[in-house]
């Protein structure tokens, strides 16, 4: 098989925390991203899901090399992007674009929409000036806006429309990869589905790969092929979407799933929601980082950090009860079955 479009291995970003102005002394380290690995194939969507502060945006910035990693590798079509020279980095930037969370902050208020969308084409020398105009109109139609919108300014648009403009700008240079960093989190719930559907539709038409970031699983339920769940700078579970929804292995994944309101109100509230706050990524808890909030935690969880094996980083993955049921001891049949499937998939890969 050919190399994946994107390959991330052992990626980390640590920020030193200093005290004192002149002779600043390091008093700790924020482990914003702490050893993250995944792959993304052409045309595929990998969702990156986790609570605020778990390192999703930092991962996004590392993947696009907007910031430098403390450790690890990012490979795009097999080439390490941290070792690209200026020309190659520019070529990479054209092929990997981003859609930001805040459609209000990410557009220049003094630029017309047409100029906003044309700018990346100018930067990358895509098409001549005359055909850029036509391309802007084409892109506006593609995202569900109208050609005359090119003459307008961002303040004349709603949040959902601004996000469409942001998407058009990202697509202007015909990327292969689009990192969508919580693209609908700032939008009204009624608008969110429209923008998610647009992104899904564009993916089909244009063969895009998405790294799709969200803080809850509901948003990615339709758009994702695979899902990686992050907690305090690490991936705690990664699985094909169907498997993850049907058979979540990690207690944190289960908690995130339980947080999605069931469409049938009579079936809501069967699962205890997660208590407590996310600990600080400044000196995170020892052992499994999730142990301070985990209802199943034992001594080993407080002492030893679990490795990601067969898609799950949990000492108890093979013993937990089926999701949504009380712990009754013994091996959960579903979890065991899924782990066996993972092992088989890993053999075949
Ligand atoms: N430049 C920085 N300096 C210090 N800490 C940072 C910096 N950027 C992010 N962080 C910290 O790293 C953690 C992860 O941040 P971020 O990637 O933005 O999370 P998310 O996007 O999942 O909400 C947070 O605790 C955040 O405060
Ligand atoms: Mg973020």
């Amino acid at each position: 098989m050919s190399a994946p479009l994107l390959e991330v291995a052992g990626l980390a970003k640590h920020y030193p925390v200093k005290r004192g102005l002149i002779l600043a002394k390091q008093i700790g380290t924020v482990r914003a991203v702490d050893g993250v690995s995944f792959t993304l194939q052409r045309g595929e969507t990998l969702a990156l899901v986790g609570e605020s502060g778990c390192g999703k945006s930092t991962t996004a910035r590392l993947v696009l090399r907007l910031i430098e990693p403390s450790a690890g590798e990012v490979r795009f079509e097999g080439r390490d992007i941290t070792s690209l020279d200026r020309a190659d980095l520019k070529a990479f930037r054209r092929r990997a674009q981003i859609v930001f969370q805040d459609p209000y902050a990410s557009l220049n208020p003094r630029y017309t929409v047409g100029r906003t969308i044309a700018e990346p084409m100018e930067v990358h020398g895509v098409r001549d000036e005359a055909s850029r105009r036509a391309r802007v109109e084409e892109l506006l139609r593609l995202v569900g806006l109208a050609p005359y919108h090119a003459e307008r300014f961002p303040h004349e648009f709603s949040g959902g429309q601004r996000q469409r403009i942001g998407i058009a700008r990202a697509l202007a240079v015909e990327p292969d990869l689009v990192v969508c960093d919580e693209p609908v989190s700032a939008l009204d719930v009624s608008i969110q589905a429209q923008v998610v559907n647009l992104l899904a539709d564009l993916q089909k038409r244009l063969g895009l790969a998405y790294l799709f970031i969200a803080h809850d699983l509901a948003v990615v339920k339709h758009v994702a092929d695979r899902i990686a769940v992050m907690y305090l700078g690490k991936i705690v579970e990664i699985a094909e979407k169907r498997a993850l929804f049907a058979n979540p292995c990690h207690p944190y994944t289960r908690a995130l799933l339980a947080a999605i309101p069931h469409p049938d109100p009579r079936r809501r509230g069967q699962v205890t929601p997660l208590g407590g706050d996310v600990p600080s990524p400044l000196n995170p808890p020892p052992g499994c980082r999730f142990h301070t909030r985990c209802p199943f935690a034992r001594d080993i969880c407080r002492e030893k950090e679990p490795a990601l094996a067969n898609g799950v980083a949990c000492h108890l993955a093979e013993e937990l009860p089926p999701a949504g049921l009380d712990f009754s001891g013994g091996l959960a049949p579903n979890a065991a079955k899924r782990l066996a499937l993972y092992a088989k998939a890993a053999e075949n890969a």
Side-chain angles (χ1 to χ4, degrees), residues 15 30 32 51-58 61 281:
Y15 292 105
V30 172
E51 283 161 292
S52 177
C54 71
K56 305 181 298 294
S57 294
T58 304
R61 281 185 224 123

Side-chain angles (χ1 to χ4, degrees), residues 94-311:
R94 175 179 170 186
R95 301 186 53 200
Q97 291 285 309
I98 184 163
V99 174
F100 293 101
Q101 172 170 1
D102 187 349
Y104 292 86
S106 59
L107 302 177
N108 187 330
R110 285 187 295 273
Y111 281 15
T112 62
V113 166
R115 185 171 171 198
T116 296
I117 297 173
E119 194 187 35
M121 292 192 263
E122 282 162 32
V123 168
H124 290 283
V126 177
R127 297 166 197 243
D128 58 46
E129 221 176 307
S131 59
R132 274 180 211 146
R133 247 186 113 80
R135 174 67 175 153
V136 166
E137 296 192 353
E138 189 183 298
L139 285 159
L140 283 167
R141 282 202 201 89
L142 192 68
V143 298
L145 295 171
Y148 70 84
H149 285 139
E151 314 304 326
R152 305 253 172 115
F153 288 89
H155 75 264
E156 299 175 65
F157 294 87
S158 67
Q161 287 174 317
R162 286 182 208 208
Q163 204 53 305
R164 287 172 192 267
I165 296 164
I167 293 166
R169 179 181 54 187
L171 297 181
V173 291
E174 295 164 48
D176 298 284
L177 168 67
V178 181
V179 175
C180 304
D181 189 359
E182 303 212 35
V184 301
S185 298
L187 304 179
D188 286 351
V189 175
S190 58
I191 308 296
Q192 289 187 355
Q194 292 174 17
V195 174
V196 170
N197 288 342
L198 171 68
L199 286 165
D201 179 51
L202 291 169
Q203 174 171 52
K204 255 188 243 139
R205 292 164 72 166
L206 306 172
L208 303 167
Y210 288 148
L211 181 61
F212 196 106
I213 294 172
H215 61 249
D216 68 69
L217 281 164
V219 168
V220 303
K221 185 161 188 184
H222 299 290
V223 76
D225 295 304
R226 283 183 302 131
I227 298 177
V229 176
M230 271 186 94
Y231 189 79
L232 279 180
K234 292 202 177 268
I235 291 178
V236 296
E237 182 161 9
I238 183 165
E240 199 260 322
K241 174 180 69 185
R242 251 177 267 271
L244 190 110
F245 273 88
N247 251 319
C249 276
H250 198 285
Y252 182 59
T253 310
R254 295 176 178 201
L256 284 182
L257 276 172
I260 301 179
H262 195 279
D264 178 355
R266 283 167 305 178
R267 294 189 56 190
R268 281 180 201 164
Q270 287 179 348
V271 191
T272 336
L274 199 57
D277 292 329
V278 189
S280 165
L282 172 65
N283 308 323
C288 171
R289 285 173 192 198
F290 186 58
H291 85 253
T292 58
R293 297 167 87 195
C294 182
F296 305 107
R298 294 183 200 156
D299 285 346
I300 186 175
C301 310
R302 288 177 267 274
E303 287 153 15
K304 194 174 163 227
E305 184 161 357
L308 189 69
N310 296 326

Side-chain angles (χ1 to χ4, degrees), residues 15-37:
Y15 292 105
V17 178
K18 292 180 181 147
R19 181 174 287 160
L21 278 177
I22 297 165
L23 292 171
K25 211 174 102 187
Q26 186 169 337
I27 56 160
T29 305
V30 172
R31 298 174 179 271
V33 173
D34 206 19
V36 158
S37 304

